[in-house]
Amino acid sequence: MSYKQDFPIFKTYPQLAYLDNSATTQKPQAVLDAMNNYYATSCANVHRGVHLLSDLSTTAFDQSKEKIATFFGAKNHELIITRNATEALNGIAYGWASYNLHAEDVILVSLMEHHANIVPWQELSKRNHTKLVFINLTADGQIDLADFENKLNTFKEKIKLVSLIHVSNTLGTLNPIGEIVTLIKKYKINCRIAIDGAQSAPHLKINFSKMGVDFYAFSGHKMLGPMGVGGLLVKEELLQSEEMKPWLFGGGMIESVYQDQTIFNSDLSERFVAGTPDVASVVGLAAACDYLEKIGMDKIEDHERQLTNYALQELSKIPEIKIIGPLDPEKRLSSVAFVYDGVHAHDVAQVLNQDEVAVRSGHHCTMPLHLSCGWVATVRASFSVYSTTEDIDKLILALKKVKTIFK
Ligand SMILES: Cc1ncc(COP(=O)(O)O)c(C=O)c1O
């Protein structure tokens, strides 16, 4: 199956093996059309006007937001629109942790986190004097559940937040969120659980209502949607009780403003929309959700699992390559990263680029992971719904040239 014909970029670059999907995905025509159509037919500011276009724009925004929330198995008001996963994770830090975490409280993250799930907590710790504690990984790049239990046992009620990546953007590891939630309950830790879903939302069916977590962050641009829009899913009870508060303030989110105070909008969805939202991008993301749904998330997961297995199998035949992350295909999803013996990752990527193979090289915003494993940089090939085994064949063929150039 190939969906490339739905993506205009492959008409511009028909030979391109685009294997940098963990960084961002290409956009289908349906998403471009939805955004263009919004600007051509319905552009006006939302929620403030009574004229026709304002009404059309508000309807487009509201319906799109509803669509995105449903895609993730969440209620409409559990979805806070953000610019991306980074802003969503910062939203947890500013809108929840700032108010609820205090000196000596512990935030648990793993060593495989993206910087977006590390730096906001380091900054919070400077403000609130909380402690950031890292869970170790096993030798094959999985969360070390024994170390996790050990830390649950050591820090006990001090732990107020466990914030974990769902699918690692570097190792490809698919973390067992269900098992982790069960362990937190087993140790009776009364903490909130946040999931960085930037790399799971594009590849897995997410049902927020059944995940047993409090927060889930994602980026639209990694799941075929436009850049500039993402979301934070927040459990309803945290919003109703105002345990989670808005972190951006201004027009749009208010009921009334007086010189000495503001009454905020009682509508949970609107309370978090400060200022003019990026309506066209929300419309585009809803179109991306539609596109993914029409294919079916289960089918997408199967397809990407097959590609990952094929890439693992073919890459492991090249003696100079050391694959990082779990070798058990069941434990990983949608990307394979590796070290090429004796050649810097950027040089490998340059050689591949000459043959129109686009991969990412560097630390992939996971410096603590790279430092702890002694990798200067790694090369990552990552897949999306439109990726094919031919793309991987091109990658392998181009990789074989590296040896002839550098040895
Ligand atoms: C796991 C993970 N979390 C967070 C992010 C940040 O996403 P964004 O740059 O869209 O905010 C990324 C981006 O690569 C990611 O892979």
Side-chain angles (χ1 to χ4, degrees), residues 185-198:
K185 284 195 185 133
K186 178 178 153 194
Y187 284 87
K188 298 191 170 56
I189 309 291
N190 187 20
C191 66
R192 295 294 178 193
I193 306 170
I195 299 300
D196 172 358

Side-chain angles (χ1 to χ4, degrees), residues 90-256:
N90 274 278
I92 307 173
Y94 281 101
W96 176 78
S98 279
Y99 298 104
N100 295 287
L101 300 201
H102 308 289
E104 299 305 311
D105 283 345
V106 168
I107 299 164
L108 274 186
V109 297
S110 80
L111 248 179
M112 70 172 84
E113 299 310 317
H114 187 280
H115 298 163
N117 195 28
I118 296 175
V119 186
W121 310 124
Q122 290 176 338
E123 290 302 303
L124 176 87
S125 296
K126 286 186 202 160
R127 300 193 297 275
N128 285 26
H129 306 288
T130 50
K131 265 196 188 153
L132 182 61
V133 176
F134 286 82
I135 308 160
N136 294 331
L137 306 183
T138 59
D140 72 340
Q142 299 183 61
I143 290 183
D144 182 342
L145 291 177
D147 185 57
F148 181 50
E149 285 199 58
N150 187 22
K151 284 183 172 134
L152 291 177
N153 219 356
T154 305
F155 296 106
K156 293 194 174 73
E157 68 279 359
K158 282 280 168 210
I159 302 169
K160 293 290 156 47
L161 177 68
V162 176
S163 189
L164 294 174
I165 199 165
H166 196 177
V167 173
S168 163
N169 60 308
T170 298
L171 299 163
T173 316
L174 168 60
N175 285 319
I177 301 304
E179 229 174 298
I180 284 161
V181 171
T182 306
L183 282 175
I184 292 170
K185 284 195 185 133
K186 178 178 153 194
Y187 284 87
K188 298 191 170 56
I189 309 291
N190 187 20
C191 66
R192 295 294 178 193
I193 306 170
I195 299 300
D196 172 358
Q199 298 296 345
S200 58
H203 312 295
L204 290 176
K205 173 82 199 126
I206 300 299
N207 190 339
F208 184 63
S209 71
K210 296 213 170 112
M211 274 184 110
V213 305
D214 302 287
F215 304 102
Y216 180 94
F218 64 92
S219 280
H221 70 93
K222 293 182 193 286
M223 47 183 288
L224 314 185
M227 290 178 174
V229 66
L232 176 63
L233 303 173
V234 185
K235 271 273 170 246
E236 184 176 37
E237 63 183 77
L238 276 78
L239 298 168
Q240 280 171 344
S241 64
E242 297 193 32
E243 185 180 320
M244 170 81 189
K245 297 181 199 301
W247 69 92
L248 292 172
F249 301 94
M253 52 164 341
I254 52 87
E255 191 65 51
S256 31

Side-chain angles (χ1 to χ4, degrees), residues 40-104:
T41 66
S42 318
C43 179
N45 213 327
V46 289
H47 296 153
R48 272 157 236 165
V50 287
H51 60 81
L52 170 72
L53 287 183
S54 182
D55 195 35
L56 288 174
S57 183
T58 303
T59 304
F61 180 73
D62 289 347
Q63 287 180 348
S64 299
K65 186 169 173 287
E66 180 96 46
K67 161 97 236 173
I68 299 162
T70 307
F71 178 82
F72 283 103
K75 294 176 183 157
N76 186 18
H77 59 249
E78 290 180 315
L79 168 63
I80 299 171
I81 295 290
T82 62
R83 282 186 303 150
N84 47 38
T86 302
E87 189 175 285
L89 291 159
N90 274 278
I92 307 173
Y94 281 101
W96 176 78
S98 279
Y99 298 104
N100 295 287
L101 300 201
H102 308 289
E104 299 305 311

Side-chain angles (χ1 to χ4, degrees), residues 3-51:
Y3 292 99
K4 282 191 179 164
Q5 70 271 13
D6 296 340
F7 292 76
I9 199 96
F10 297 115
K11 293 194 177 86
T12 312
Y13 303 100
Q15 298 308 318
L16 177 66
Y18 182 77
L19 297 173
D20 193 18
N21 292 285
S22 294
T24 201
T25 54
Q26 300 301 332
K27 320 304 171 199
Q29 188 66 49
V31 167
L32 307 183
D33 287 347
M35 295 176 72
N36 200 33
N37 185 50
Y38 165 77
Y39 276 126
T41 66
S42 318
C43 179
N45 213 327
V46 289
H47 296 153
R48 272 157 236 165
V50 287
H51 60 81

